[in-house]
Amino acid sequence: MIWNPEYEQMDGTELAELQLMRLQSTVAWVNERVPHYREQLEAAGVRPKDVRTLEDVERLPFTDKAVLRDTYPFGLFAVDMDHVVRIHSSSGTTGKPIVVGYTRGDLNTWAELTARVAAAAGVTEKDRAQMAFGYGMFTGGFGMHYGLERIGATVIPASAGNTERHLMMMEDFGTTALVSTPSYALYMAEVAERAGADVKALPLQVGLFGGEPCGEGMRQEIEERLGIFATDNYGLSEVGGPGVSGECECRCGLHMNEDHYLFEVIDPESGEPVGVGEQGELVITTLTKEAFPVLRYRTRDLTSIDTSPCECGRTFARMEKVRQRTDDMLIIRGVNVFPSQIEDVLLEIEGVQPHYLILVERKHRALDDLEIQIEVAEGIFAATMADMVAFSDQVSDRLFSVLGLRAKVTLVEPGAIERTAGKSQRVVDRRC
Ligand code: DLL
């Protein structure tokens, strides 16, 4: 179902007009209310009235994470705290987090956007949606919650963690939609299998997964083990949280909510726009945010944009699934490696489970060691030592042929790699 056809099926010219109008008001709004943006605009020699076309967005200054940190906690807020009805913060693991604020109007828009994402995944008022994102400073829980409620789905606000309880609720309440990170969904399948429960026999039908990358191999695994249709949705706290984009049932990219955000893809090195359809860093400008508008936020997420028509009838362009970030590239012995490349190789090998850990160390000066710990099926783990060595050699050879880099492959027992209820941590870089 298309939640809001008036916007989601908007004609391109009308959309561009709306975007321009909203961009102009956003620039005027931040110029008037946020000292940081006023200084930046002045330094770039741009006055709000200079924004005459959508292309003029390229004249505006970029905003990056450092600015958001430096202005902690409320330095970039564009309204008085009296008008801020909610704050959230990013899931950063080190230092101060990034704090974002919402007015009542922002919360209303946010629910609209997550309702679109959930509806695009196939959720309706008939669904019982079980929330496995945390309700807290993370934007995932509350963000998706209000969109699902707006659709009229029955929301089960179970929150993150306590997997056994999740499974019990799933069975007792007849849950039809699961909202979580893809890695947590996989973990749920595992816990159920261990307990001898048949999740596939449950009414669960659809998964709304987001918050972290989910490659096709991982998606397939989740679908097979949970017996569901898995969709991907994307967002980030800095521009509001979930609701930025989401897959429709065609699953050929994530429809971007272009009436509320302006998207650009740039070359991360030069900052210049890349060609249509080419991959680069996603840059987002909020078009309707009141409390926390952001100009040209550099997401560090790598994607490309597809403007070709989609069979679902939505006219919003689609972004390719995010698999990599500019800052998750590892340089090992001079070779550039993305964790997603390693995952793709691993998941193609029969017997390898979708749980792995990438460890990078520097034991000898300037010589990095790459170790990949992988969980393997029981049968392989219980095999003879010679068979296990042959298996890890085979994995190492496959990795070498794709990465051009020799990795030490360590087979570990099923369940040995730590699971989380949130975003999985797959890389441990001990060089830093
Ligand atoms: O993860 C917001 C969110 C919550 C989106 C729930 C979807 C569902 P942050 O914690 O600020 O916000 O993390 C944002 O997570 O820049 C991406 O690198 C990554 N990310 C989020 N969704 C996806 C996705 C939320 N579907 C950062 N695929 C982003 C790949 C994703 N990466």
Side-chain angles (χ1 to χ4, degrees):
M1 184 195 46
I2 299 184
W3 177 250
N4 192 338
E6 186 189 341
Y7 288 95
E8 292 178 83
Q9 293 190 299
M10 216 169 183
D11 152 83
T13 316
E14 267 178 60
L15 173 65
E17 278 165 18
L18 180 70
Q19 285 183 314
L20 178 59
M21 200 178 74
R22 291 180 165 178
L23 177 65
Q24 288 165 333
S25 359
T26 298
V27 175
W29 183 255
V30 296
N31 186 60
E32 190 188 310
R33 290 163 176 262
V34 187
H36 165 80
Y37 287 118
R38 188 159 50 240
E39 283 157 24
Q40 291 285 304
L41 287 165
E42 207 176 288
V46 186
R47 293 157 304 171
K49 65 175 188 208
D50 296 332
V51 180
R52 294 197 192 90
T53 67
L54 278 179
E55 286 67 45
D56 287 333
V57 73
E58 288 169 26
R59 300 180 56 193
L60 305 177
F62 285 120
T63 306
D64 62 17
K65 217 177 187 97
V67 173
L68 273 62
R69 283 226 170 89
D70 294 347
T71 49
Y72 174 87
F74 307 136
L76 290 183
F77 281 25
V79 296
D80 290 342
M81 288 308 280
D82 295 4
H83 298 288
V84 175
V85 296
R86 173 102 63 81
I87 61 171
H88 278 285
S89 70
S90 76
S91 48
T93 45
T94 49
K96 298 272 193 198
I98 279 156
V99 180
V100 295
Y102 304 77
T103 61
R104 212 173 287 286
D106 290 331
L107 289 185
N108 189 38
T109 306
W110 196 13
E112 155 77 19
L113 300 184
T114 51
R116 289 182 190 176
V117 162
V123 173
T124 69
E125 75 279 1
K126 296 204 166 29
D127 279 291
R128 295 175 199 173
Q130 191 159 320
M131 178 66 70
F133 281 137
Y135 285 83
M137 298 312 281
F138 177 51
T139 51
F142 281 105
M144 292 304 293
H145 178 104
Y146 286 102
L148 290 159
E149 252 184 27
R150 185 160 292 189
I151 287 182
T154 308
V155 184
I156 304 164
S159 199
N162 203 337
T163 312
E164 280 82 7
R165 191 181 64 142
H166 261 292
L167 292 165
M168 181 193 78
M169 288 181 178
M170 228 174 239
E171 189 171 350
D172 296 349
F173 301 160
T175 303
T176 55
L178 173 65
V179 188
S180 72
T181 56
S183 53
Y184 190 49
L186 203 54
Y187 181 48
M188 281 186 177
E190 206 173 78
V191 173
E193 286 158 14
R194 231 185 290 135
D198 184 7
V199 224
K200 285 194 192 171
L202 297 178
L204 197 63
Q205 274 168 7
V206 59
L208 274 74
F209 302 128
E212 66 178 7
C214 179
E216 288 303 335
M218 185 72 85
R219 158 141 70 195
Q220 243 176 39
E221 184 86 24
I222 296 172
E223 291 196 322
E224 276 163 24
R225 289 169 72 171
L226 284 176
I228 56 168
F229 181 78
T231 60
D232 186 7
N233 69 86
Y234 166 89
L236 59 159
S237 327
E238 293 87 334
V239 302
V244 172
S245 65
E247 280 180 326
C248 64
E249 288 165 273
C250 304
R251 300 195 300 192
C252 51
L254 286 71
H255 286 282
M256 305 183 293
N257 280 313
E258 293 186 281
D259 51 340
H260 292 275
Y261 299 105
L262 190 64
F263 297 90
E264 299 168 79
V265 181
I266 62 162
D267 176 333
E269 299 285 324
S270 68
E272 293 300 316
V274 300
V276 180
E278 272 177 44
Q279 215 189 43
E281 178 182 350
L282 185 68
V283 172
I284 305 177
T285 300
T286 63
L287 295 177
T288 51
K289 286 290 287 297
E290 296 170 342
F292 199 83
V294 187
L295 298 187
R296 303 192 85 198
Y297 186 68
R298 293 196 56 163
T299 65
R300 301 190 186 173
D301 292 319
L302 293 170
T303 187
S304 60
I305 291 180
D306 182 355
T307 52
S308 68
C310 181
E311 271 176 37
C312 74
R314 288 176 184 78
T315 49
F316 289 159
R318 307 183 299 283
M319 58 186 261
E320 177 199 1
K321 257 174 172 307
V322 171
R323 297 290 316 282
Q324 300 171 342
R325 289 174 53 85
T326 55
D327 54 4
D328 70 7
M329 187 178 79
L330 297 160
I331 304 180
I332 303 167
R333 281 175 251 150
V335 180
N336 299 349
V337 181
F338 281 104
S340 59
Q341 287 176 296
I342 296 180
E343 176 178 305
D344 289 345
V345 172
L346 295 180
L347 293 194
E348 270 178 15
I349 302 173
E350 179 129 15
V352 175
Q353 304 292 301
H355 302 287
Y356 58 91
L357 197 62
I358 300 167
L359 296 153
V360 195
E361 265 182 303
R362 181 167 296 166
K363 290 191 188 129
H364 315 286
R365 209 152 29 112
L367 204 61
D368 303 329
D369 286 327
L370 170 64
E371 177 185 348
I372 301 175
Q373 296 185 350
I374 50 175
E375 282 184 20
V376 287
E378 292 279 2
I380 292 173
F381 203 77
T384 64
M385 194 49 112
D387 286 343
M388 281 171 59
V389 169
F391 186 80
S392 36
D393 284 350
Q394 182 204 334
V395 178
S396 180
D397 288 348
R398 281 286 303 136
L399 285 164
F400 183 74
S401 70
V402 174
L403 309 176
L405 196 67
R406 198 42 83 183
K408 176 180 169 206
V409 173
T410 310
L411 309 186
V412 298
E413 274 180 78
I417 290 170
E418 200 191 336
R419 314 288 198 254
T420 94
K423 305 190 186 209
S424 56
Q425 195 43 279
R426 302 207 190 272
V427 180
V428 178
D429 193 342
R430 298 207 179 107
R431 295 172 301 179
C432 347

